[in-house]
Each structure stands twice: as C-alpha cells, then as structure tokens.
Amino acid sequence: QKEVEQDPGPLSVPEGAIVSLNCTYSNSAFQYFMWYRQYSRKGPELLMYTYSSGNKEDGRFTAQVDKSSKYISLFIRDSQPSDSATYLCAMRGDNNNAGNMLTFGGGTRLMVKP
Amino acid sequence: EPEVTQTPSHQVTQMGQEVILRCVPISNHLYFYWYRQILGQKVEFLVSFYNNEISEKSEIFDDQFSVERPDGSNFTLKIRSTKLEDSAMYFCASSSWTFVFDTEAFFGQGTRLTVV
C-alpha cells in the first residue's frame, strides 16, 4: 500500500464550481498536513497547512483533516481558471527532530474552464 | 516577497560527470532541503540540513550525493557521478522552523537536470 494516495485526475470543472481534492494515507504517525499548488514546470507553492484533525479556512480554500479515516481534503470555492494547476498533498510526522521529511501524494491535476 | 532561488534552471550533463546544483535559501531561514521530482512522478525527499549538518536523508540520498553550505547564503547539492536515472527536477526548499507556529516551507523553482 502506498503511503499517500491521490487521484491523479485530471479533474475538469466549470468556473465558479466548488472543487474537492482528496488524499488518503496509511501512516498513522503523520500529524502535519499541507496542500501545495504546482504550476507546470514550477516549484510547489504552499497553500494550506494544518496540524492534526479539524478544519482550516483561508479565503476560498478550506483544508480538512480526518485522522480517524486517514483522509484529508482541500476545498476550493468559486474556482477560477487561474486555479488550474496540480495540487499536491504532503504530510509529515510529529517529533522534535529538525527538518522532518515531507511525504507527498502524486498530485491531482485540476482544470477550471471559463 | 522573499524567495528561494535556484541556479541553473536547466542543466544538461553527460553520464558519469559531476554536477552541482545551487540554491540561495531565504535569508533568515535555518532549515534547508532538497527534493526531486522525476517526470510524471511524486515529489521525493532527498535530504534536510540544519546547523551545518545533515539532519535527515532518504534512501535515495546515497554516497553519490552530498550537500554543503559553503558560505552564509548558498546551499548546494552535488551529484558525484551522474546516472541516467538522476534526470529529474530538483527542488531546494527552506523553512524558518520545523513547521511549528504556522511557519512555511518555501520551494524554489527547481533545476531541471538532464543526464545524457
């Protein structure tokens, strides 16, 4: 079983739609959960960061973590063509060691059509 | 806005040659990372670096790889004898703390390494 799984898509939605992106994971030690956006041939850009379970909202973006189900989600409201990109989930464990590695999902390609 | 800068943006090298990928992390950051992404595959962790030493490394980071912070601003990844399978996008990242207090890990734009 892969450590972090993510549907590769592509996911195609009309402008203004609510987008739901998801990841599942198998390692119960993961405590920090992030969503990155990656445009083609560019570096990942951090969008959202959450610790443990719960919701976090930032503008049009909402991140949800359900540790009991080992399932995380990113919702994008009022999607725009500029949101078209690959969305990567990433996660890490929780210990006092500096510089813990991030484990990434494979990314979901999102296309928002005008 | 502060950013992580990587050079070169694209490097072509012959198999067996040594390459050095360079990064300038954000100036007040203390933790530095290298990740790679083979075309069509996941972003994979290579190594993290703190206080002038490696703090964590993955199984990919074998003896062919090394990292260095030669001065107060640069952070480099050296591949001693490149193989075809080293062809990938290499990302440098830096953070000010270990994901505590809502800090962020910033990624550079990447260096595309092509081994021929």
Side-chain angles (χ1 to χ4, degrees):
Chain A
Q1 183 182 13
K2 294 179 183 176
E3 235 180 342
V4 180
E5 298 211 49
Q6 195 174 359
D7 187 331
L11 177 63
S12 182
V13 300
E15 183 175 354
I18 296 174
V19 174
S20 172
L21 303 165
N22 311 294
C23 282
T24 59
Y25 63 96
S26 57
N27 188 344
S28 57
F30 289 140
Q31 295 284 339
Y32 293 87
F33 305 91
M34 297 96 186
W35 285 94
Y36 285 84
R37 178 174 61 197
Q38 187 177 29
Y39 293 111
S40 181
R41 294 178 180 260
K42 299 292 185 184
E45 173 194 4
L46 183 67
L47 285 177
M48 298 288 288
Y49 148 74
T50 51
Y51 171 68
S52 197
S53 285
N55 292 1
K56 186 174 182 178
E57 190 173 318
D58 184 2
R60 295 186 296 114
F61 299 92
T62 299
Q64 282 186 354
V65 174
D66 181 350
K67 289 190 67 186
S68 62
S69 303
K70 296 192 179 67
Y71 188 88
I72 70 170
S73 301
L74 177 71
F75 298 96
I76 307 174
R77 288 182 296 282
D78 188 25
S79 55
Q80 303 295 310
S82 58
D83 294 328
S84 299
T86 296
Y87 289 79
L88 310 172
C89 63
M91 46 198 80
R92 67 176 279 267
D94 179 16
N95 63 50
N96 290 325
N97 222 4
N100 279 347
M101 58 178 278
L102 288 176
T103 300
F104 279 84
T108 298
R109 190 165 143 237
L110 172 67
M111 296 187 296
V112 181
K113 298 191 172 178
Chain B
E1 186 175 310
E3 60 179 14
V4 176
T5 306
Q6 289 186 243
T7 54
S9 56
H10 190 193
Q11 172 93 47
V12 180
T13 189
Q14 289 202 325
M15 195 167 53
Q17 294 296 304
E18 174 183 287
V19 292
I20 297 176
L21 309 183
R22 302 181 192 277
C23 170
V24 179
I26 294 171
S27 61
N28 62 345
H29 282 186
L30 302 175
Y31 299 87
F32 315 114
Y33 315 86
W34 284 101
Y35 287 79
R36 79 171 185 191
Q37 187 175 30
I38 295 171
L39 189 63
Q41 297 187 24
K42 291 184 180 185
V43 176
E44 301 173 290
F45 171 81
L46 292 179
V47 66
S48 58
F49 192 85
Y50 168 71
N51 199 26
N52 284 318
E53 60 182 25
I54 290 172
S55 51
E56 196 167 9
K57 61 182 181 179
S58 71
E59 58 192 24
I60 302 169
F61 194 86
D62 61 22
D63 292 344
Q64 292 299 311
F65 292 89
S66 62
V67 289
E68 195 177 32
R69 188 153 162 83
D71 53 41
S73 59
N74 291 285
F75 179 51
T76 62
L77 174 69
K78 182 193 289 187
I79 308 175
R80 237 178 299 281
S81 177
T82 50
K83 303 188 280 283
L84 293 176
E85 53 265 37
D86 293 327
S87 296
M89 196 77 159
Y90 287 81
F91 294 109
C92 174
S94 70
S95 66
S96 58
W97 198 243
T98 54
F99 302 93
V100 179
F101 308 127
D102 280 341
T103 188
E104 298 181 15
F106 288 87
F107 279 74
Q109 294 302 295
T111 293
R112 179 168 299 281
L113 177 65
T114 302
V115 182
V116 297

